[in-house]
Amino acid sequence: MSGRESRIRLGLVFLLLLVLHFYVRPRFGDSRVAPDFLAMAVLLYALRSSPGDAAVVGLCTGLLVDALTPTRFGANALAHSVVGYLASWGRAVFFADNVVVTAGFFAVGTWLRNLLVLLASGTGGVDFLTQALFWSTLQALSTAACGTVLVVLLRGWLDIRILE
């Protein structure tokens, strides 16, 4: 597959995740537990790109989220760009082609992103601990489950090698 075709496919998956985030995610009930499809999109992009490119995509994605939550503007942009950079760098160093490792990749990426948002937005005290240890963990697990299913279903289409 050509590089252009690969980028188009990845862009279509990114658009699908954007639609899922704004149209399906609200129907999951509590947004603190629902899978974060935008974080999943940044992590999927990081699987296939350089750290700098992943950071730029993370920044743009974070700005999109920040535009919808102006009370803590910049927290999501910072968190998404750092997670995109670290995920792409970590994939190059540690990534194994395994379903369990892929699930862990999505879970750790989502949890770290939530932690960075909490820190950057100035959340403190008991609320910080509750969010970081309970709600972020639940959201990381739901995002990992959805992200792993997506990667397994689209592995051939996205040229991602996963061993089951």
Side-chain angles (χ1 to χ4, degrees), residues 22-139:
F22 291 110
Y23 290 109
V24 175
R25 185 173 189 252
R27 287 154 181 77
F28 273 92
D30 193 346
S31 65
R32 297 177 294 186
V33 179
D36 191 331
F37 294 106
L38 291 180
M40 194 183 311
V42 170
L43 291 168
L44 271 175
Y45 189 83
L47 278 174
R48 305 191 29 134
S49 67
S50 68
D53 290 344
V56 169
V57 167
L59 178 69
C60 293
T61 304
L63 286 173
L64 174 70
V65 175
D66 280 337
L68 300 173
T69 55
T71 56
R72 53 185 185 198
F73 192 80
N76 280 292
L78 173 68
H80 278 90
S81 59
V82 167
V83 167
Y85 178 84
L86 291 176
S88 182
W89 179 82
R91 179 226 8 118
V93 175
F94 302 109
F95 199 78
D97 300 326
N98 185 308
V99 174
V100 175
V101 174
T102 302
F105 178 77
F106 283 113
V108 170
T110 303
W111 187 82
L112 179 62
R113 192 281 323 265
N114 287 347
L115 182 68
L116 291 171
V117 168
L118 290 170
L119 290 171
S121 63
T123 306
V126 175
D127 190 37
F128 175 81
L129 290 175
T130 303
Q131 291 288 332
L133 299 177
F134 184 70
W135 293 114
S136 292
T137 303
L138 290 177
Q139 185 178 46

